[in-house]
Amino acid sequence: MRNGWTLWFTGLSGAGKTTVARLVENELVKLGRPRVQLLDGDLMREETHRDLGFTRDDRIIHIKRAAWVAALLNGHGVAVLASFITPYREMREYCRRRIPGYHEVYVKCSLETCIERDVKGLYRKALAGEIDHFTGISDPYEEPPDPDLVLDTETETPEQSAGKVLDFLESRGLIGAGRGSRG
């Protein structure tokens, strides 16, 4: 089986990338797609990329490694939901070239809202100068100029965003049609 694909969720920390990806993962499993793998940037840093920091060069290496894993899984028929900030356009272009079934999902949320959410307390530390190279604060986030799908997590619930992702997958023929209505 060689029909894997990757949805690459990009956006600021706290935008909701992993939350939406988890909801999509659960729905895909319910729909009978057991070969789904969520790759989370934070978890990969903890488990396999501990040698990397947050400099531009380290971030690029982190994404190249993740892209390699995603492409490998796709080659074995696994659907990959990759949740990585991926702040630089060159990183996303690398992923697009490296991963044959790549689809970019921009999880759009303003910096102000992400700071208000501050799910992990990282923005507070970054604003206090305790974290260097923090995306959106002391390092740039370059918005995708032409993503395949945009989710606006300031106005959509996570469930609505996940529904848009499933509609996208259906429209591209990546999952079967006829899932029924969603809220």
Side-chain angles (χ1 to χ4, degrees):
M1 179 184 245
R2 301 260 183 225
N3 61 347
W5 41 262
T6 294
L7 290 184
W8 196 277
F9 293 81
T10 176
L12 292 168
S13 178
K17 299 178 296 298
T18 301
T19 298
V20 174
R22 280 194 183 117
L23 290 171
V24 172
E25 178 185 34
N26 291 338
E27 287 301 314
L28 290 175
V29 170
K30 285 180 192 174
L31 292 169
R33 174 127 195 162
R35 302 179 84 172
V36 179
Q37 181 64 55
L38 173 62
L39 298 178
D40 178 74
D42 291 339
L43 290 177
M44 286 193 78
R45 279 189 176 278
E46 288 176 23
E47 298 298 327
T48 60
H49 298 171
R50 288 184 188 168
D51 58 319
L52 299 174
F54 292 90
T55 65
R56 185 179 181 93
D57 288 346
D58 282 353
R59 286 174 180 265
I60 289 171
I61 292 168
H62 176 57
I63 293 303
K64 285 183 174 181
R65 290 178 182 175
W68 183 83
V69 171
L72 181 69
L73 290 169
N74 285 174
H76 290 279
V78 178
V80 173
L81 307 170
S83 174
F84 293 82
I85 294 171
T86 326
Y88 312 125
R89 287 187 184 126
E90 74 178 274
M91 294 171 155
R92 296 186 296 265
E93 287 306 314
Y94 175 85
C95 291
R96 192 177 294 279
R97 288 189 312 270
R98 180 70 175 91
I99 304 168
Y102 177 87
H103 305 277
E104 191 172 283
V105 179
Y106 176 30
V107 183
K108 185 176 181 179
C109 187
S110 71
L111 178 62
E112 293 76 20
T113 298
C114 290
I115 290 172
E116 286 175 20
R117 292 177 181 168
D118 204 10
V119 178
K120 302 170 191 168
L122 297 175
Y123 282 103
R124 182 183 48 76
K125 290 181 180 179
L127 290 167
E130 297 173 22
I131 301 175
D132 291 332
H133 309 290
F134 194 82
T135 301
I137 302 299
S138 53
D139 210 55
Y141 179 81
E142 300 168 352
E143 287 193 19
D146 191 24
D148 297 297
L149 178 65
V150 177
L151 307 175
D152 183 346
T153 60
E154 284 193 70
T155 61
E156 301 166 1
T157 65
E159 290 77 15
Q160 289 171 324
S161 294
K164 284 177 69 176
V165 172
L166 293 166
D167 289 345
F168 171 81
L169 292 171
E170 199 173 282
S171 73
R172 297 287 175 105
L174 299 172
I175 61 173
R179 292 175 288 111
S181 63
R182 289 175 310 282

